[in-house]
Amino acid sequence: MLADALPLLRQYLRQQADDGQTHVPVRPEARELLPRLASRRQAESDAARLSRTAPGPSSQPPAAAPPSPDPGSASAVPSLVLEVAGATREEKLARLAQMAEEAPAPRALGTLRGTMVFAVGNPNAGVMFIGEAPGAEEERQHEPFVGPAGQLLTKIITAMGLKRADVYISNICKFRPAMENQGNGNRKPSAQEMAACLPFILTEIDIIRPKVIVALGGTAAEGLGIPGPVGRNRGRFHVVGGVPVVVTWHPSYLLRQEQEGAGLQAKRQSWEDMLMAMDEAGLPISEKQRGFFKSRAG
Ligand code: URA
């Protein structure tokens, strides 16, 4: 019923506008209906936007995905966003980093190491990358994604026509997960460890309001409330804190695949995901970028 009324209403309003009318009389019962029509229209346009798939060149069939749109994938955790004092984004992020450093919950677990690694990059970035947790090199340098996986991420950012300083790079878990005989060994953060740090990344999202988030790997996606394998979640938009999220392969996975001589398909898919993120962020995409993997077999 409501959907049927919408085109008629639009036609009527267009006619009135063409006739130079700037106001139309609305009966009380119609006045009640209008907000419902408007919110329905907003939901439809959100759904259309969220169900868009990658614009990249793919000789592969699209990733198998459950029916989109997936409004259920919108993370329902806004209450975890923290109140942070500060006049600018820089000030708020600096204060938030201090709050993370002093936060009792992650430390109370006793399973994370002591050094806090917060984030790096542009507080006004349109693109935000989110990984899982710092590793040995990140802990040494106090900066996310500076080890081997980080070097590949930097190459990907360069291929997007950006610099590390243009984007914002962070992790869900702000401390390196501890393990026995640690040495340079790293492990994925547990769900509990990510949950203890979740308010910080959600508040970073809230402060920065990027145009798009790229969740690097299934663990990061899961930490953000997007469960399931990357192969099922990539190639479409999810929503966290009102921001569109692209899920893609973790750079460590791309490196492992490459070592096993099987990296091309995952790399191609990762690039398609980046094109999707670039498109959403309104970044220019050249023909060369669009066709990056076109001529390569695999
Ligand atoms: N992997 C991550 O997820 N984050 C880092 O900072 C480094 C490696």
Side-chain angles (χ1 to χ4, degrees):
M1 266 296 270
L2 279 175
D4 294 345
L6 195 53
L8 285 175
L9 179 64
R10 229 181 265 138
Q11 193 185 359
Y12 169 72
L13 290 175
R14 212 171 284 132
Q15 246 168 28
Q16 296 297 307
D18 288 348
D19 290 344
Q21 299 292 336
T22 54
H23 292 76
V24 291
V26 179
R27 287 213 308 268
E29 55 278 24
R31 205 173 292 155
E32 241 183 63
L33 272 178
L34 283 171
R36 285 166 61 196
L37 278 172
S39 67
R40 187 187 177 112
R41 209 171 148 221
Q42 183 62 48
E44 280 167 0
S45 88
D46 284 350
R49 189 167 63 78
L50 294 174
S51 66
R52 268 187 286 133
T53 51
S58 178
S59 56
Q60 302 291 315
S68 284
D70 188 4
S73 73
S75 180
V77 280
S79 60
L80 293 179
V81 169
L82 304 167
E83 285 247 349
V84 185
T88 63
R89 285 176 174 158
E90 284 86 347
E91 283 174 16
K92 285 184 180 174
L93 289 170
R95 172 73 191 117
L96 187 64
Q98 197 185 339
M99 288 161 80
E101 175 81 58
E102 293 162 3
R107 295 191 188 272
L109 293 174
T111 56
L112 294 167
R113 289 165 61 93
T115 305
M116 199 275 296
V117 180
F118 194 68
V120 69
N122 185 348
N124 302 306
V127 184
M128 178 170 183
F129 290 92
I130 302 180
E132 48 198 38
E137 200 50 46
E138 287 74 22
E139 191 184 53
R140 264 192 285 276
Q141 296 191 35
H142 296 254
E143 182 173 326
F145 282 100
V146 286
Q151 284 157 22
L152 177 55
L153 178 63
T154 304
K155 281 188 192 164
I156 293 171
I157 291 168
T158 306
M160 293 166 80
L162 300 168
K163 295 191 282 295
R164 266 176 85 95
D166 295 325
V167 300
Y168 185 87
I169 305 172
S170 196
N171 282 309
I172 299 194
C173 187
K174 303 301 187 195
F175 302 82
R176 181 177 169 209
M179 52 198 277
E180 264 180 51
N181 307 318
Q182 184 117 32
N184 279 331
N186 298 318
R187 68 166 171 84
K188 288 177 184 299
S190 67
Q192 213 185 14
E193 288 163 347
M194 288 194 288
C197 293
L198 191 61
F200 300 104
I201 192 70
L202 291 178
T203 309
E204 286 168 89
I205 294 171
D206 195 55
I207 293 169
I208 294 166
R209 309 298 316 155
K211 293 187 176 139
V212 67
I213 292 169
V214 180
L216 296 164
T219 305
E222 197 168 327
L224 290 172
I226 306 166
V230 173
R232 207 179 65 204
N233 283 328
R234 61 167 296 278
R236 65 201 169 96
F237 286 103
H238 306 260
V239 182
V240 173
V243 179
V245 179
V246 173
V247 175
T248 193
W249 302 112
H250 194 286
S252 299
Y253 173 76
L254 298 179
L255 288 174
R256 279 199 305 276
Q257 289 285 102
E258 192 172 32
Q259 274 161 13
E260 287 163 19
L264 200 54
Q265 171 165 334
K267 268 194 194 165
R268 177 190 289 121
Q269 290 181 342
S270 162
W271 184 241
E272 286 171 4
D273 298 334
M274 295 309 150
L275 289 174
M276 198 171 147
M278 288 167 73
D279 196 44
E280 186 66 21
L283 293 170
I285 303 179
S286 68
E287 278 313 300
K288 188 174 166 203
Q289 284 171 317
R290 215 172 272 285
F292 203 60
F293 278 95
K294 250 183 195 159
S295 55
R296 304 181 188 207

